[in-house]
Amino acid sequence: KNQVEQSPQSLIILEGKNCTLQCNYTVSPFSNLRWYKQDTGRGPVSLTIMTFSENTKSNGRYTATLDADTKQSSLHITASQLSDSASYICVVSAEVGNKLTFGTGTRLQVTL
Amino acid sequence: EPEVTQTPSHQVTQMGQEVILRCVPISNHLYFYWYRQILGQKVEFLVSFYNNEISEKSEIFDDQFSVERPDGSNFTLKIRSTKLEDSAMYFCASRLRTGAGRTEAFFGQGTRLTVV
């Protein structure tokens, strides 16, 4: 069964600090991995998409890494801002079929 | 910037009633999806739709659920007889193409369905 697990469940950091969120997946055959940001009560918004051949992908202060051998990904946020407070969801797509498999997300809170 | 729009933003209905959730996908997209998120839980896949038919559905998507693209722009999710456990945020998404491509899936802002 395809699964995506994330850690930590929640995280509180001070504004300006960096943080790293983790994702492990067991989706096979793997197609691509995405990181989404979801504000409370809103739809997910894509941050990055990576295929198995890509090790790292940046989008502004967000940098995602992917190790397709160990089936792990991370999302690094640098110089955090209050507006970064949201849930960050790791989402994996299989080669076969159309659906995205969502992780449970990491709830990030950035405080003063 | 093109976006997926969903209406209504919040729907309250009595148990046993039928509801229709509406979505307008991005105009040139070809693949359409419904997902749901029960409060405090992860987003779950319901159904995907392509070329006017369902291409994949989850075990959640039972006979009480149906989807339709009646007029080439709207994409609807119907729940025939709502249950309390159908209370959730329902997200519509669309994609230009599918398969192994790295195409972006764009999500709407969701419809919060409350069954009382």
Side-chain angles (χ1 to χ4, degrees):
Chain A
K1 184 179 177 182
N2 292 338
Q3 285 190 316
V4 179
E5 296 182 353
Q6 293 185 242
S7 62
Q9 262 191 330
S10 62
L11 184 61
I12 301 174
I13 61 173
L14 293 175
E15 187 183 27
K17 297 297 186 183
N18 304 334
C19 66
T20 300
L21 315 179
Q22 302 291 343
C23 172
N24 298 297
Y25 63 91
T26 56
V27 176
S28 182
F30 173 80
S31 172
N32 57 75
L33 184 145
R34 308 141 186 263
W35 282 93
Y36 281 85
K37 178 184 179 185
Q38 185 180 24
D39 293 310
T40 302
R42 312 283 283 179
V45 176
S46 180
L47 297 174
T48 63
I49 302 177
M50 289 185 293
T51 62
F52 69 92
S53 61
E54 295 176 294
N55 300 119
T56 185
K57 178 72 71 75
S58 289
N59 177 6
R61 295 180 296 103
Y62 302 105
T63 299
T65 65
L66 174 64
D67 186 334
D69 290 331
T70 61
K71 297 186 168 68
Q72 294 179 326
S73 176
S74 66
L75 180 70
H76 187 72
I77 305 173
T78 57
S80 60
Q81 301 174 357
L82 296 177
S83 58
D84 292 334
S85 296
S87 286
Y88 290 84
I89 310 174
C90 177
V91 183
V92 183
S93 178
E95 284 250 348
V96 178
N98 295 305
K99 66 180 181 182
L100 301 175
T101 300
F102 282 71
T104 51
T106 292
R107 180 166 292 281
L108 174 66
Q109 185 177 348
V110 181
T111 64
L112 293 170
Chain B
E1 185 175 318
E3 60 180 14
V4 176
T5 57
Q6 291 185 244
T7 55
S9 56
H10 191 186
Q11 171 98 41
V12 181
T13 188
Q14 286 197 325
M15 191 169 53
Q17 295 296 304
E18 174 184 286
V19 294
I20 297 177
L21 310 183
R22 291 185 164 77
C23 168
V24 179
I26 294 173
S27 62
N28 62 338
H29 284 192
L30 302 176
Y31 298 86
F32 314 110
Y33 308 83
W34 283 101
Y35 288 80
R36 79 171 185 190
Q37 185 175 30
I38 295 171
L39 186 64
Q41 298 185 24
K42 65 181 180 181
V43 176
E44 302 173 289
F45 170 77
L46 291 178
V47 66
S48 60
F49 191 85
Y50 168 69
N51 200 25
N52 284 320
E53 61 182 24
I54 291 173
S55 51
E56 190 174 358
K57 61 183 181 180
S58 71
E59 57 272 15
I60 302 169
F61 195 89
D62 61 21
D63 291 345
Q64 292 300 311
F65 291 87
S66 62
V67 289
E68 204 173 40
R69 188 159 160 79
D71 56 11
S73 62
N74 291 288
F75 179 50
T76 62
L77 174 69
K78 181 193 290 186
I79 309 175
R80 287 188 184 81
S81 178
T82 51
K83 304 186 285 287
L84 294 177
E85 53 264 38
D86 293 327
S87 295
M89 195 77 155
Y90 287 81
F91 293 107
C92 172
S94 71
R95 197 146 65 156
L96 182 58
R97 50 184 191 276
T98 188
R102 294 164 43 195
T103 52
E104 188 68 68
F106 291 86
F107 285 79
Q109 296 299 341
T111 292
R112 179 166 295 286
L113 176 66
T114 303
V115 182
V116 297

